[in-house]
Amino acid sequence: MKREHRLRYIIKEGILDTFFIWKDELKNVFKDSGVMIFFFLVPFIYPLLYAFIYNNEVVHNAKMVVVDQSDSYLSREYIRKVDATADVKVVAVCSDMEEAKRMMDAKEAYGILYFPSEFSKNIHKGKQATVSLYCDMSALLFYKAFLLATTEVSLEIGKELRAQNNPSSTIEQEKITINPIPYESVALFNSQNGFASFLVPAILILVIQQTLILGIGMLGGTAREKNRFHSLVPVSRHFNGTLRIVFGKSLTYILLYIVVCIWALGVVPKLFSLPQVGEPWTVMLFVLPYLFASIFLSMTLSGFMTSRESPMLVFVFTSVILLFISGVSWPKEAIPPFWKAVGYLFPSTSGIQGFIRINTAGASLNEVAHEYHTLWIQAGIYFITACAIYRYQIMRSRKLIIKQYRYMKMQRMLRQK
C-alpha cells in the first residue's frame, strides 16, 4: 500500500473509531442510572436547591433580647431605634443577663444587647459609653443584621448628641458639626448585600466540575468491573488508539454538558434574578476551556477508579474544601500558600474567580486573561495525562491478552500430550 493511501486509511479509521467510541460512551451514559443522576439530575436539581435556600438575600426581623440596666431615656431611645430597623426585632427587655441567656438557649432570641448601669451617666459626663452585643454565631446572617443595626443606631445617636453639645448658629453649620465628612456606602455588584448574589454563582461552577468527576469516575469504575482483565479500555479494535479514545469520550461529555451549562449558568440565575452583567458570548468563551479542563481532569482521575463506588468515597467531600480555597467564601489573601497551590490543581478555582468577575462585574476576557489562560493550560496538561493513562491501559490490556493467549496455548499443548 502506498504511503499516502496508508495515511489516508489511518486518518479515516481514526475518525470512524472516534465516532464509534462517542456513540458507545453515549450508550454507556444513558444505560447507567447512577451516571444519569450525576450528569442530569444533580446539575439540574442542585442549582435550584441552592438558589431556593439562599433566595432570601438578607434576614429581616432577627429576634433580639435587651438587658437594660441603665433604664434611662437614652437607652430606651436606643432600643426604640434598633427595633425600628427592618433587620432587627426586639422581642423582650430583661432585667439581667441570666434571663436573656435562657431565652437564647431556648432559641427565643439570637442576640443580646446589653446596656450597663453607667451608660447614661457616662454620656452626660462627656465620657465614652459602651453598649455590648452578644450574638448566636450559629447563623452569620443574624450576626450581620444585629451588627449593622446597632452600628447605624450608634452613629445616629452620636450625631444627635454632638449637635446638642455643640449648638450652631445656622442649620448648615450644624450639619457640618454632625457630619464633617459625608459618606455613602455603595455595595458594588451586590446591591442587596446578600449571600445568593455572590455564593450561588460559585456553587453553580463547582457543581459542573464535581458532577463530571463523579460521573466519569463512575463510568471508569464500571468499565473496570465489567472488563475481563479489569482494564479501563475494552478489548476491541475500535479502541486501538489513544487519541481516538480521549477525543471520542470527551466529545460525549462536552455535548451533554453544553445543555447543563446553559441551564445552570443561564436559566437558573435568570429564574432567581441573580446578577447577570456579563455578555453571553464572553461567558460562553470562558466556560469552554473550563469544560475541557474539567473533562480531561475527570478522565485522568477515572483511570485510578477501581469500582463504581470509588468516586463517591474519594471526591464528594472535596466540594466544601474547593469552595473555600477558591477565594469566594474565604479571602484568597488569607489562604496559606500550600492550599493556594492545591487549589490551582483544580479548574474550579480559576473558573469560579473568572466567572464571578464576568457575570457580576461585566469583565471582558482581557480582564480575566489570567484565569482564562490558566484554564487552557490546565486543559492541555490534563489532556496529556489522560492520553498517558489510556495509553498505559491499552498496553496493559495487550500484555494481559498475550499472557492469556500463551497460557491457553500451553494448556492445549499439555492436554495433547
Side-chain angles (χ1 to χ4, degrees), residues 225-253:
E225 289 181 352
K226 291 183 177 180
N227 194 293
R228 179 179 179 182
F229 302 106
H230 300 290
S231 177
L232 190 63
V233 180
V235 180
S236 172
R237 66 180 183 85
H238 297 289
F239 288 81
N240 192 24
T242 304
L243 291 178
R244 64 193 69 179
I245 294 175
V246 175
F247 281 134
K249 287 178 177 288
S250 61
L251 182 61
T252 301
Y253 310 138

Side-chain angles (χ1 to χ4, degrees), residues 7-79:
L7 180 61
R8 190 182 305 169
Y9 172 76
I10 292 173
I11 294 173
K12 180 181 178 181
E13 185 186 37
I15 294 173
L16 293 175
D17 286 345
T18 299
F19 282 101
F20 176 86
I21 294 169
W22 166 60
K23 290 191 292 184
D24 181 70
E25 191 72 2
L26 205 59
K27 290 177 183 177
N28 292 334
V29 169
F30 285 100
K31 285 193 300 184
D32 195 320
S33 58
V35 176
M36 288 284 287
I37 289 173
F38 286 124
F39 277 3
F40 294 104
L41 188 62
V42 173
F44 276 80
I45 297 298
Y46 260 46
L48 290 176
L49 179 63
Y50 277 104
F52 270 121
I53 291 173
Y54 291 103
N55 193 33
N56 293 328
E57 298 269 14
V58 294
V59 170
H60 295 296
N61 294 325
K63 296 179 181 179
M64 172 187 282
V65 61
V66 177
V67 178
D68 185 10
Q69 294 188 344
S70 173
D71 195 21
S72 60
Y73 167 78
L74 283 175
S75 64
R76 289 192 292 271
E77 183 68 9
Y78 197 112
I79 296 168

Side-chain angles (χ1 to χ4, degrees), residues 137-333:
M137 294 302 292
S138 61
L140 292 177
L141 284 177
F142 290 145
Y143 167 74
K144 174 188 170 184
F146 295 145
L147 184 63
L148 288 178
T150 53
T151 301
E152 291 294 330
V153 171
S154 295
L155 293 173
E156 184 180 345
I157 292 179
K159 291 176 183 179
E160 295 174 357
L161 292 173
R162 197 177 300 118
Q164 293 174 7
N165 295 332
N166 299 283
S168 302
S169 57
T170 63
I171 296 176
E172 190 64 29
Q173 286 181 339
E174 183 176 328
K175 289 181 180 179
I176 295 173
T177 302
I178 293 174
N179 193 16
I181 304 177
Y183 76 94
E184 183 180 1
S185 177
V186 179
L188 295 174
F189 319 123
N190 188 358
S191 57
Q192 297 183 4
N193 283 322
F195 273 64
S197 296
F198 87 93
L199 190 60
V200 172
I203 293 174
L204 298 180
I205 286 288
L206 186 61
V207 163
I208 292 172
Q209 174 188 282
Q210 295 301 91
T211 52
L212 274 169
I213 290 176
L214 293 170
I216 296 175
M218 183 173 286
L219 285 171
T222 304
R224 282 179 177 270
E225 289 181 352
K226 291 183 177 180
N227 194 293
R228 179 179 179 182
F229 302 106
H230 300 290
S231 177
L232 190 63
V233 180
V235 180
S236 172
R237 66 180 183 85
H238 297 289
F239 288 81
N240 192 24
T242 304
L243 291 178
R244 64 193 69 179
I245 294 175
V246 175
F247 281 134
K249 287 178 177 288
S250 61
L251 182 61
T252 301
Y253 310 138
I254 197 76
L255 291 176
L256 294 175
Y257 264 76
I258 286 174
V259 180
V260 172
C261 288
I262 292 173
W263 166 257
L265 306 181
V267 178
V268 171
K270 193 174 290 294
L271 288 176
F272 293 92
S273 301
L274 298 175
Q276 282 185 301
V277 182
E279 293 290 333
W281 181 253
T282 305
V283 173
M284 185 182 70
L285 288 177
F286 183 81
V287 169
L288 188 63
Y290 175 72
L291 269 181
F292 279 121
S294 298
I295 287 170
F296 293 138
L297 169 65
S298 304
M299 293 176 71
T300 299
L301 296 176
S302 69
F304 301 96
M305 301 297 105
T306 57
S307 65
R308 285 175 57 84
E309 296 79 15
S310 299
M312 295 290 294
L313 300 174
V314 177
F315 299 119
V316 168
F317 78 95
T318 62
S319 299
V320 177
I321 299 173
L322 293 177
L323 185 63
F324 271 102
I325 62 180
S326 67
V328 176
S329 61
W330 187 260
K332 64 180 181 180
E333 291 79 11

